[in-house]
Amino acid sequence: DNIYNTLVKYEESHKVIVYLTELGFSMRDALLIYNTYKKNTIMILENNIYRVIDDVEEISFPKVDTIVHKKELNIDEDLRIKACVYYIMQDLSFKNGDTYLNIEEIYESVCKYLGCSIEINYLDSVLAELNGDAKVMIIDNKYYLQDIYEAQYNIVEKIRYLLEKEKHSYKKLDSKILALENDIGIKYNEQQKEAIKKALENNITIITGGPGTGKTTIIKAI
């Protein structure tokens, strides 16, 4: 029984791996996909090949979309556009460093990628669907990726916690800064000294300034 079951399992995985590599996935990607879906792999991909983008972290939309076009697979165009919209939002957010996007820039980039024009009302319905899937947040006509929105929200909560937390109090900071100056051979100006003290006494401090203004020197002192 053990030998038989092992052979059946091997035959099943072999068929799936062959199927995936013949589609155009590398052996590495094929193994990642198979280890995610096991015996359901072929059924899931035939139903919606774009699903692997969500379920297998290292497989991107362009990779799957290239396979779809190369093999001329018969796919649901709505599923393709939905996956494309999400990919475009990720690409724009990380490329520009934005935490949210507006519908016009999403629309322009999606149309450019697809090489065709879609109705903006249709895009609006796709974004609403992504919102229902908990992948996109829509607030005041601003479109956030869900994970970026949650990260931003968590940062706000952390900052609020730090602001409300009791502050620290240290004695003889001026004499300690003077001792540090003598030790490392650096003379801090009054603004820098104030920054050092505030950073030590407060639970959160933002140190900002252009190149050469002493940010690194201040942090070294802290």
Side-chain angles (χ1 to χ4, degrees):
D1 284 344
N2 284 337
I3 293 170
Y4 172 78
N5 290 333
T6 301
L7 287 169
V8 168
K9 188 177 178 182
Y10 173 79
E11 184 183 22
E12 170 201 283
S13 65
H14 177 71
K15 284 179 179 176
V16 173
I17 296 298
V18 168
Y19 166 79
L20 292 169
T21 53
E22 285 180 348
L23 273 180
F25 289 105
S26 67
M27 179 60 73
R28 180 175 176 276
D29 288 344
L31 288 168
L32 286 171
I33 294 168
Y34 176 74
N35 287 331
T36 301
Y37 301 129
K38 300 293 184 183
K39 64 182 181 181
N40 297 318
T41 300
I42 295 174
M43 179 192 70
I44 288 171
L45 265 70
E46 287 181 344
N47 185 51
N48 179 13
I49 192 171
Y50 291 100
R51 181 174 161 182
V52 299
I53 301 160
D54 294 329
D55 298 339
V56 185
E57 191 174 334
E58 296 181 46
I59 297 180
S60 66
F61 173 80
K63 185 181 288 186
V64 174
D65 207 43
T66 299
I67 287 171
V68 167
H69 283 280
K70 201 171 181 179
K71 292 292 181 180
E72 296 181 342
L73 301 180
N74 185 23
I75 53 100
D76 184 331
E77 193 63 21
D78 288 337
L79 293 175
R80 179 185 178 231
I81 292 172
K82 184 178 175 182
C84 179
V85 170
Y86 188 65
Y87 162 71
I88 290 296
M89 288 187 68
Q90 288 177 311
D91 188 56
L92 287 173
S93 294
F94 293 117
K95 189 184 291 178
N96 302 333
D98 294 329
T99 55
Y100 70 84
L101 304 163
N102 60 57
I103 196 166
E104 288 78 18
E105 60 186 322
I106 299 169
Y107 177 76
E108 185 180 328
S109 295
V110 169
C111 288
K112 186 177 178 181
Y113 183 92
L114 295 174
C116 63
S117 182
I118 60 172
E119 293 292 329
I120 198 159
N121 289 340
Y122 174 62
L123 174 60
D124 196 45
S125 68
V126 171
L127 288 165
E129 200 173 325
L130 286 167
N131 175 245
D133 294 340
K135 295 173 77 174
V136 168
M137 283 289 291
I138 306 171
I139 301 171
D140 298 329
N141 295 319
K142 296 181 178 73
Y143 297 82
Y144 300 77
L145 292 170
Q146 184 79 24
D147 52 355
I148 289 181
Y149 176 82
E150 288 175 0
Q152 185 173 264
Y153 182 84
N154 289 336
I155 290 167
V156 170
E157 288 301 301
K158 183 68 174 177
I159 290 172
R160 181 181 289 131
Y161 165 75
L162 290 170
L163 288 173
E164 292 174 353
K165 192 178 175 186
E166 186 180 351
K167 294 182 180 181
H168 301 280
S169 180
Y170 295 99
K171 295 178 181 178
K172 301 178 181 177
L173 276 181
D174 287 317
S175 61
K176 290 182 187 294
I177 291 171
L178 179 61
L180 178 66
E181 288 177 325
N182 294 330
D183 187 44
I184 62 178
I186 291 176
K187 185 70 178 173
Y188 294 105
N189 62 36
E190 290 306 312
Q191 194 176 19
Q192 289 174 321
K193 287 178 184 177
E194 187 68 17
I196 294 164
K197 291 177 190 175
K198 284 186 175 180
L200 291 166
E201 292 171 346
N202 293 286
N203 294 307
I204 180 167
T205 304
I206 297 172
I207 298 173
T208 185
T213 53
K215 299 186 297 294
T216 305
T217 309
I218 290 167
I219 291 166
K220 186 178 180 183
I222 294 163

